[in-house]
Amino acid sequence: MTEAGHTHGDHSQWAETSHCRVAAVRHFGAFAVLELIAPRVARRAAPGQFVMVTVPGGGSFLRRPISLFAAHADRISLLVEARGGGTERLTRLDVGDAVEVAGPLGSAFPTEDVSNALLVGGGIGCAPLQYLADELSAAGAHVTACFGFRDFRSARAAGAFTIDRLWVATEDGSVGRAGTVLHLLAALDVSPGTTVYACGPTPMVAAVQRWTFAEGLHGYVSLEAHMACGTGSCHGCVVDTARGKLRVCAEGPVFRLDEVTP
Amino acid sequence: MTEAGHTHGDHSQWAETSHCRVAAVRHFGAFAVLELIAPRVARRAAPGQFVMVTVPGGGSFLRRPISLFAAHADRISLLVEARGGGTERLTRLDVGDAVEVAGPLGSAFPTEDVSNALLVGGGIGCAPLQYLADELSAAGAHVTACFGFRDFRSARAAGAFTIDRLWVATEDGSVGRAGTVLHLLAALDVSPGTTVYACGPTPMVAAVQRWTFAEGLHGYVSLEAHMACGTGSCHGCVVDTARGKLRVCAEGPVFRLDEVTP
Amino acid sequence: MTERANGAPLDPSPDLSVSLGPIVLDHPLVDASGTFDLLEYARRYDGDYFADFPYAAYVPKTVTVDARTGNPAPRVTETPSGMINAIGLENPGVRAWIARLGEWAHLRQPVIVSVGGNEPEQYAAVVAALDEYLDAAAPGAAPSIQGYELNISCPNVSSGLQIGADRAATAEVVGACREATSRFLLAKLTPNVRDVTEIGAAALDAGADGLSLINTLKALVLDRDTLKPFLGNRTGGLCGPAVKPVALRMVAEVAQAFPDTPIVGMGGVATGLDALEFIACGATAVGVGAANFTAFEAPQRILAELREELAARGFASAADARGVALSS
Amino acid sequence: MTERANGAPLDPSPDLSVSLGPIVLDHPLVDASGTFDLLEYARRYDGDYFADFPYAAYVPKTVTVDARTGNPAPRVTETPSGMINAIGLENPGVRAWIARLGEWAHLRQPVIVSVGGNEPEQYAAVVAALDEYLDAAAPGAAPSIQGYELNISCPNVSSGLQIGADRAATAEVVGACREATSRFLLAKLTPNVRDVTEIGAAALDAGADGLSLINTLKALVLDRDTLKPFLGNRTGGLCGPAVKPVALRMVAEVAQAFPDTPIVGMGGVATGLDALEFIACGATAVGVGAANFTAFEAPQRILAELREELAARGFASAADARGVALSS
Ligand SMILES: Cc1cc2nc3c(=O)[nH]c(=O)nc-3n(C[C@H](O)[C@H](O)[C@H](O)COP(=O)(O)OP(=O)(O)OC[C@H]3O[C@@H](n4cnc5c(N)ncnc54)[C@H](O)[C@@H]3O)c2cc1C
Ligand SMILES: Cc1cc2nc3c(=O)[nH]c(=O)nc-3n(C[C@H](O)[C@H](O)[C@H](O)COP(=O)(O)OP(=O)(O)OC[C@H]3O[C@@H](n4cnc5c(N)ncnc54)[C@H](O)[C@@H]3O)c2cc1C
Ligand SMILES: Cc1cc2nc3c(=O)[nH]c(=O)nc-3n(C[C@H](O)[C@H](O)[C@H](O)COP(=O)(O)O)c2cc1C
Ligand SMILES: Cc1cc2nc3c(=O)[nH]c(=O)nc-3n(C[C@H](O)[C@H](O)[C@H](O)COP(=O)(O)O)c2cc1C
Ligand code: FES
Ligand code: FES
């Protein structure tokens, strides 16, 4: 019998496919940071982009979209929250395990000419903001991050982040300030011209969008959508934008805050 | 979310269900002997019976029927050949892994009042004959076994057996005598009244049946059938017998050699 | 899962009882015909299986008027997230079947007998034979047979086109049985049709009290070595989790078309959430089929999960959850 | 897998070429409409994708006469061993589509354009517009469009009942397109019918040259939190390995009913053995759909496996394997 996957041809022509190994795993409650040796992905990656990850074990038919949490040298990291069967299995990966990822995919957060950046994340939506913070800081920008979580359990994710100015709120008050990320924003002193970067659940994105406009700021948002291909073929992942229906995996996931209607 | 399997009730009322652990694994090419700690199964087991094994990992919907290869104290052993996806995963089990088995199921080889026994196996059909040999020998019977394999690869299974008088043939002559198990039988000096026990592919069973009748012997055969439930509910596993269509999992797998029509 | 998302404590035990027409069920789960043999379970159980019987009603394997030996082997194999079968309604015939009723006369739960045949008269003959026997039986001598499920949807018998794929044939079978009995009558629908509500309407118009669905999808599996049809009957019926999305769609269609009709929904139920989804799509009761083959305790597990899933969503009862997927 | 069971060396390279009616294909694999965007692949490839294009013919996503924005999100999700989609035939309309043909005019492989619509005239208008454009196009200015696949089977557009579930409507659509073109015409059949050969016959009688099947099975998935329909369009179409046994059955039925008809078989192909099974059931060519979503190199892998599977069984060619499951 020919087992699926054993007779793959040469991948070298596929910019975006990597068979890689898990180099390190750190767990934070239901979250895991997976560090993968994936030089081809790391070389091309930019903050905001994502990879399609094949769930090992054969139980999941489609690949799962996961943001780049970090990229250094020949490594990429993913912050994965065990939500359903597929992500559950990903968080149980161990050092040395093989994983297949395709990427980097999608649009990146624009980072040029940014001097003040405000990163606003909700729940697992915080994931792409670490890599963004790394790049912005390296480019000399002043980075502030405000993360909102529902409760103690989901706030465990915060432990994975290394951002200097990071404010956390939880709705149940168990970690950081009690309330939503909007309460954190309200308490901030934001310089004019600050660029806002948002990623999180739809109601949060809508609220951040309103706040940004009210403050006269501009910014970007990374959106989620249920995906089949992740690579532009199926039109499964569309969102409504000022430019019409666009694919989160191809034109997105990063859009201008003022062109989306969350 | 409630994960399937996490809220099982109390199993204690099910004679035949065991959550067990792998205590030891030995590999012989594509074959593996899995030793499982399964006191409830071991206590009731008899040679010829089988268990339904849940394939770990979620990729297989139905359980797989596997014969008892041995049973001692609180342990049972299974000899598994990696043939398809399910058995492949079973042979990759490791010490300490959890497995779920239901059994012992089905009919056993009658062993009472046997003084001379001839065990005839073909390929993975040899599996139930080790346990049978153990029981017969313990009861003082004189046991001879003749095993036939296709080639070197399938003859690797022979290494798992500990039967004193064991003759092996391979069709390609790579191990033991060149030819089929029938060539081994032809060379034997069989005492009258010997009880024949057969298990193997259909053509072998048919040939052994003819040989047994020609020699004026009687005996038993363990049959295989594709199974869904393995426990008598679905009527999926029927074979034609002198008693009509019977279920291999309930009335079988062991039948009298003279009642089956292979 | 011990509290709701909003932090309120869980309703400890939602009311699981439902009424399938006149038949009162302790909870919504029944076995799907042909997948669960009560006597086989009882003989493998250490306790009193009749006291611990897990389903709210028992639906035995389809019975026909004459004995049937069924199809040649092989009859079953696995498919991706499912299985295929071509048993061919093997059964001893209604007379021999009745003769064994005493063995499980003490089952407390209601029984719905699945009835098969090639022609209307054969269905009616089974129903009449059972009604006659039940009317004459001494109290406690027979199980509590309270209804019939007319299996007009088995893809594995060669009576030409399936009865359940044809409106007129469906009406004839249901009509003949309606004349034969005043007991509760379910028509079991096949998914191998263009519009399941057309056949449902024909069955209800002809006197069925309710509908069961789905039976299996007609399907073909090849032997990977020979590339010939694997099953002895060539084709068979596909079921299991693979077909659940098709089954949910059809149950929703029927529930929307016939809102007050008792419906037994089934097809791929393997977890309590699956069962709840069928209820949300309008099923009154839920049939568990191939999942029975995965573990002895599957019904107990699915029932426990169903209770948790209802409670986690704040439903006070299974009946409250019925049809919630249908309202827009 | 380097030698046959009998020890004879493998035929190193079975002849994979097949003739789909007048269209000669290098091998049997084509993409299934809506699941593979040539230009998206090309822009992600380091080499010359047009030189390395893996399929034997390219079937683009269905084109309609007017632009369609498709269904509201969400449009896709996973199911056990499969997926469900309700894209809703999003496409820019035939004029805008033609305007971009230059971008892939250099594709060497034949193209079969999938055509959709609500009424016969709309189908015919797309075919006529394309035929007209092709007749006028300068050599090398357009890809080699050699045929049309009439998608009369999409379950995700609200033109009432699917055209492909009705014989008369099928005949009208095919007939209108037959008048509009002399190019090769495939009718793509839906599995949501009682008898797929009835619709197949209607299509062939009305002038179709061949048949493609299956499109997706109409299905429903609920959101597990809200228990409401998950997809924006409520229902969607099920595909992937879960449906393969149903697809094989239908392909075999059609191949048996119309032995000399070119058939594109599809539904759940994920491996070379799957593809071979469709060929064994009578398919001339095999469509790969959702498997494209599992890896960029899926078509290359499936093709390599198909070659091995043919060789391992001693087939000298793909054509030799056609229909071997059908003979008894
Ligand atoms: C661009 C993008 C970036 C993402 N980045 C991250 C990340 O960095 N870390 C992380 O943990 N998660 C991330 N997600 C969400 C993640 O993809 C889903 O949680 C995951 O697909 C769920 O799969 P499952 O098998 O665990 O859940 P299941 O619910 O069992 O999955 C069933 C199906 O639904 C899809 N699905 C379920 N939830 C979502 C969702 N929220 N978004 C999209 N598809 C979904 C799955 O892909 C699958 O097809 C991202 C999603 C997108 C679109
Ligand atoms: C009573 C009995 C005892 C058995 N004892 C042993 C044993 O001790 N050791 C061992 O290695 N094997 C044994 N087998 C055979 C074993 O059950 C099959 O090899 C196994 O089910 C194949 O599963 P798979 O997933 O690897 O193969 P796949 O071919 O991928 O399985 C697909 C489906 O076909 C069924 N199937 C495939 N081959 C067989 C077969 N030969 N018999 C029955 N069902 C089959 C599977 O259960 C499954 O439902 C026994 C079978 C029976 C009936
Ligand atoms: C082995 C087997 C035997 C079956 N026998 C019958 C039967 O006798 N009568 C009937 O109405 N349905 C029969 N069915 C169909 C089931 O009752 C049920 O409708 C179908 O399997 C879908 O449910 P599931 O996916 O939960 O199995 C049978 C199914 C299987 C798997
Ligand atoms: C996301 C998606 C989009 C599809 N779009 C179309 C389409 O536009 N036209 C069409 O005829 N079929 C369409 N199909 C159906 C496929 O072409 C194919 O018939 C079906 O998916 C079965 O094959 P598979 O199981 O290999 O996916 C689509 C399928 C999917 C999954
Ligand atoms: S997921 Fe397929 S186009 Fe975006
Ligand atoms: S496998 Fe179900 S009766 Fe034997």
Side-chain angles (χ1 to χ4, degrees), chain C residues 253-284:
Chain C
E253 284 174 351
V254 164
Q256 211 128 26
F258 317 112
D260 300 322
T261 300
I263 294 171
V264 184
M266 70 192 96
V269 172
T271 67
L273 179 55
D274 295 334
L276 178 54
E277 288 179 332
F278 276 91
I279 295 169
C281 286
T284 320

Short mmCIF file of all heavy atoms in Angstrom, two decimals, chain C residues 253-284:
data_model
loop_
_atom_site.label_atom_id
_atom_site.label_comp_id
_atom_site.label_asym_id
_atom_site.label_seq_id
_atom_site.Cartn_x
_atom_site.Cartn_y
_atom_site.Cartn_z
N GLU C 253 -34.77 19.43 7.40
CA GLU C 253 -35.76 19.62 6.34
C GLU C 253 -37.11 19.04 6.73
O GLU C 253 -38.17 19.65 6.55
CB GLU C 253 -35.28 18.96 5.04
CG GLU C 253 -34.20 19.76 4.32
CD GLU C 253 -33.62 19.01 3.10
OE1 GLU C 253 -33.94 17.81 2.91
OE2 GLU C 253 -32.85 19.64 2.36
N VAL C 254 -37.07 17.82 7.28
CA VAL C 254 -38.30 17.15 7.66
C VAL C 254 -38.96 17.87 8.83
O VAL C 254 -40.18 18.06 8.86
CB VAL C 254 -38.00 15.67 7.99
CG1 VAL C 254 -39.14 15.03 8.74
CG2 VAL C 254 -37.70 14.91 6.70
N ALA C 255 -38.15 18.29 9.80
CA ALA C 255 -38.71 18.97 10.98
C ALA C 255 -39.35 20.30 10.59
O ALA C 255 -40.36 20.71 11.15
CB ALA C 255 -37.62 19.18 12.02
N GLN C 256 -38.74 20.96 9.61
CA GLN C 256 -39.29 22.23 9.16
C GLN C 256 -40.58 22.01 8.38
O GLN C 256 -41.54 22.76 8.53
CB GLN C 256 -38.26 22.93 8.27
CG GLN C 256 -38.30 24.42 8.34
CD GLN C 256 -36.91 24.99 8.61
OE1 GLN C 256 -35.89 24.39 8.30
NE2 GLN C 256 -36.86 26.16 9.22
N ALA C 257 -40.61 20.96 7.60
CA ALA C 257 -41.80 20.69 6.78
C ALA C 257 -42.96 20.16 7.62
O ALA C 257 -44.12 20.44 7.32
CB ALA C 257 -41.45 19.68 5.68
N PHE C 258 -42.66 19.42 8.68
CA PHE C 258 -43.72 18.79 9.49
C PHE C 258 -43.45 19.06 10.96
O PHE C 258 -43.04 18.17 11.71
CB PHE C 258 -43.75 17.27 9.23
CG PHE C 258 -43.63 16.90 7.78
CD1 PHE C 258 -42.50 16.25 7.31
CD2 PHE C 258 -44.64 17.22 6.87
CE1 PHE C 258 -42.37 15.92 5.96
CE2 PHE C 258 -44.52 16.90 5.52
CZ PHE C 258 -43.38 16.25 5.06
N PRO C 259 -43.71 20.31 11.39
CA PRO C 259 -43.23 20.74 12.72
C PRO C 259 -43.78 19.93 13.88
O PRO C 259 -43.10 19.80 14.90
CB PRO C 259 -43.71 22.19 12.82
CG PRO C 259 -44.11 22.60 11.45
CD PRO C 259 -44.44 21.37 10.69
N ASP C 260 -44.94 19.38 13.78
CA ASP C 260 -45.50 18.71 14.96
C ASP C 260 -45.34 17.19 14.91
O ASP C 260 -45.91 16.47 15.73
CB ASP C 260 -46.97 19.08 15.12
CG ASP C 260 -47.11 20.58 15.29
OD1 ASP C 260 -46.24 21.17 15.97
OD2 ASP C 260 -48.05 21.17 14.72
N THR C 261 -44.56 16.73 13.96
CA THR C 261 -44.41 15.29 13.78
C THR C 261 -43.29 14.73 14.66
O THR C 261 -42.20 15.32 14.70
CB THR C 261 -44.09 15.03 12.29
OG1 THR C 261 -45.17 15.55 11.52
CG2 THR C 261 -43.90 13.55 12.02
N PRO C 262 -43.54 13.63 15.33
CA PRO C 262 -42.44 12.97 16.06
C PRO C 262 -41.36 12.50 15.08
O PRO C 262 -41.68 11.89 14.05
CB PRO C 262 -43.11 11.75 16.72
CG PRO C 262 -44.58 12.04 16.70
CD PRO C 262 -44.81 12.93 15.51
N ILE C 263 -40.13 12.80 15.40
CA ILE C 263 -39.02 12.46 14.50
C ILE C 263 -37.92 11.77 15.30
O ILE C 263 -37.50 12.26 16.34
CB ILE C 263 -38.44 13.74 13.84
CG1 ILE C 263 -39.48 14.35 12.89
CG2 ILE C 263 -37.14 13.42 13.10
CD1 ILE C 263 -39.07 15.71 12.36
N VAL C 264 -37.47 10.63 14.79
CA VAL C 264 -36.28 9.99 15.34
C VAL C 264 -35.13 10.29 14.38
O VAL C 264 -35.11 9.81 13.24
CB VAL C 264 -36.45 8.46 15.48
CG1 VAL C 264 -35.21 7.86 16.16
CG2 VAL C 264 -37.71 8.13 16.27
N GLY C 265 -34.21 11.13 14.83
CA GLY C 265 -33.08 11.53 13.98
C GLY C 265 -31.88 10.65 14.24
O GLY C 265 -31.59 10.30 15.38
N MET C 266 -31.17 10.30 13.19
CA MET C 266 -29.96 9.49 13.38
C MET C 266 -29.05 9.61 12.16
O MET C 266 -29.44 10.09 11.11
CB MET C 266 -30.32 8.03 13.63
CG MET C 266 -30.87 7.29 12.44
SD MET C 266 -31.57 5.69 12.93
CE MET C 266 -33.31 6.12 13.09
N GLY C 267 -27.81 9.13 12.35
CA GLY C 267 -26.80 9.20 11.31
C GLY C 267 -25.53 9.77 11.87
O GLY C 267 -25.36 10.98 11.95
N GLY C 268 -24.62 8.90 12.32
CA GLY C 268 -23.32 9.38 12.75
C GLY C 268 -23.23 9.87 14.17
O GLY C 268 -22.22 10.47 14.55
N VAL C 269 -24.23 9.63 14.99
CA VAL C 269 -24.14 10.09 16.37
C VAL C 269 -23.06 9.30 17.10
O VAL C 269 -23.11 8.07 17.17
CB VAL C 269 -25.49 9.94 17.10
CG1 VAL C 269 -25.33 10.25 18.59
CG2 VAL C 269 -26.52 10.86 16.47
N ALA C 270 -22.09 10.00 17.64
CA ALA C 270 -21.01 9.35 18.38
C ALA C 270 -20.75 10.02 19.72
O ALA C 270 -20.07 9.46 20.56
CB ALA C 270 -19.72 9.34 17.56
N THR C 271 -21.30 11.21 19.91
CA THR C 271 -21.10 11.95 21.17
C THR C 271 -22.43 12.58 21.59
O THR C 271 -23.38 12.67 20.81
CB THR C 271 -20.09 13.10 21.01
OG1 THR C 271 -20.66 14.10 20.15
CG2 THR C 271 -18.77 12.64 20.42
N GLY C 272 -22.45 13.05 22.83
CA GLY C 272 -23.63 13.74 23.32
C GLY C 272 -23.92 15.01 22.53
O GLY C 272 -25.09 15.36 22.30
N LEU C 273 -22.86 15.68 22.09
CA LEU C 273 -23.07 16.88 21.29
C LEU C 273 -23.74 16.53 19.96
O LEU C 273 -24.63 17.24 19.49
CB LEU C 273 -21.74 17.62 21.06
CG LEU C 273 -21.82 18.88 20.21
CD1 LEU C 273 -22.82 19.89 20.76
CD2 LEU C 273 -20.44 19.55 20.11
N ASP C 274 -23.32 15.42 19.36
CA ASP C 274 -23.97 14.97 18.13
C ASP C 274 -25.48 14.78 18.38
O ASP C 274 -26.31 15.21 17.58
CB ASP C 274 -23.41 13.62 17.66
CG ASP C 274 -21.95 13.69 17.23
OD1 ASP C 274 -21.49 14.78 16.83
OD2 ASP C 274 -21.27 12.65 17.30
N ALA C 275 -25.81 14.12 19.47
CA ALA C 275 -27.22 13.87 19.78
C ALA C 275 -27.96 15.19 19.95
O ALA C 275 -29.07 15.38 19.42
CB ALA C 275 -27.34 13.01 21.03
N LEU C 276 -27.33 16.12 20.66
CA LEU C 276 -27.95 17.43 20.86
C LEU C 276 -28.16 18.14 19.53
O LEU C 276 -29.17 18.81 19.32
CB LEU C 276 -27.09 18.27 21.81
CG LEU C 276 -27.58 19.69 22.09
CD1 LEU C 276 -29.02 19.70 22.59
CD2 LEU C 276 -26.67 20.38 23.10
N GLU C 277 -27.21 17.98 18.61
CA GLU C 277 -27.37 18.62 17.30
C GLU C 277 -28.60 18.09 16.57
O GLU C 277 -29.33 18.85 15.92
CB GLU C 277 -26.11 18.39 16.45
CG GLU C 277 -24.92 19.20 16.93
CD GLU C 277 -23.67 18.97 16.10
OE1 GLU C 277 -23.50 17.87 15.52
OE2 GLU C 277 -22.84 19.88 16.02
N PHE C 278 -28.84 16.78 16.67
CA PHE C 278 -30.05 16.25 16.04
C PHE C 278 -31.30 16.82 16.68
O PHE C 278 -32.27 17.17 15.99
CB PHE C 278 -30.05 14.71 16.09
CG PHE C 278 -29.27 14.09 14.96
CD1 PHE C 278 -27.92 13.81 15.08
CD2 PHE C 278 -29.89 13.82 13.74
CE1 PHE C 278 -27.20 13.28 14.02
CE2 PHE C 278 -29.18 13.28 12.68
CZ PHE C 278 -27.82 13.02 12.83
N ILE C 279 -31.29 16.94 18.01
CA ILE C 279 -32.43 17.54 18.70
C ILE C 279 -32.60 18.98 18.25
O ILE C 279 -33.72 19.43 17.94
CB ILE C 279 -32.24 17.43 20.23
CG1 ILE C 279 -32.24 15.95 20.64
CG2 ILE C 279 -33.32 18.21 20.96
CD1 ILE C 279 -31.80 15.70 22.08
N ALA C 280 -31.50 19.71 18.16
CA ALA C 280 -31.56 21.10 17.72
C ALA C 280 -32.13 21.21 16.31
O ALA C 280 -32.77 22.20 15.96
CB ALA C 280 -30.17 21.75 17.79
N CYS C 281 -31.89 20.20 15.50
CA CYS C 281 -32.43 20.20 14.13
C CYS C 281 -33.86 19.68 14.08
O CYS C 281 -34.42 19.52 13.00
CB CYS C 281 -31.54 19.37 13.21
SG CYS C 281 -30.00 20.20 12.80
N GLY C 282 -34.45 19.39 15.22
CA GLY C 282 -35.86 19.04 15.23
C GLY C 282 -36.19 17.61 15.59
O GLY C 282 -37.37 17.23 15.57
N ALA C 283 -35.19 16.80 15.91
CA ALA C 283 -35.49 15.42 16.28
C ALA C 283 -36.10 15.37 17.67
O ALA C 283 -35.69 16.12 18.56
CB ALA C 283 -34.22 14.57 16.24
N THR C 284 -37.08 14.49 17.85
CA THR C 284 -37.66 14.26 19.16
C THR C 284 -36.78 13.28 19.93
O THR C 284 -36.48 13.45 21.10
CB THR C 284 -39.05 13.61 19.01
OG1 THR C 284 -39.72 14.21 17.91
CG2 THR C 284 -39.85 13.74 20.29
#
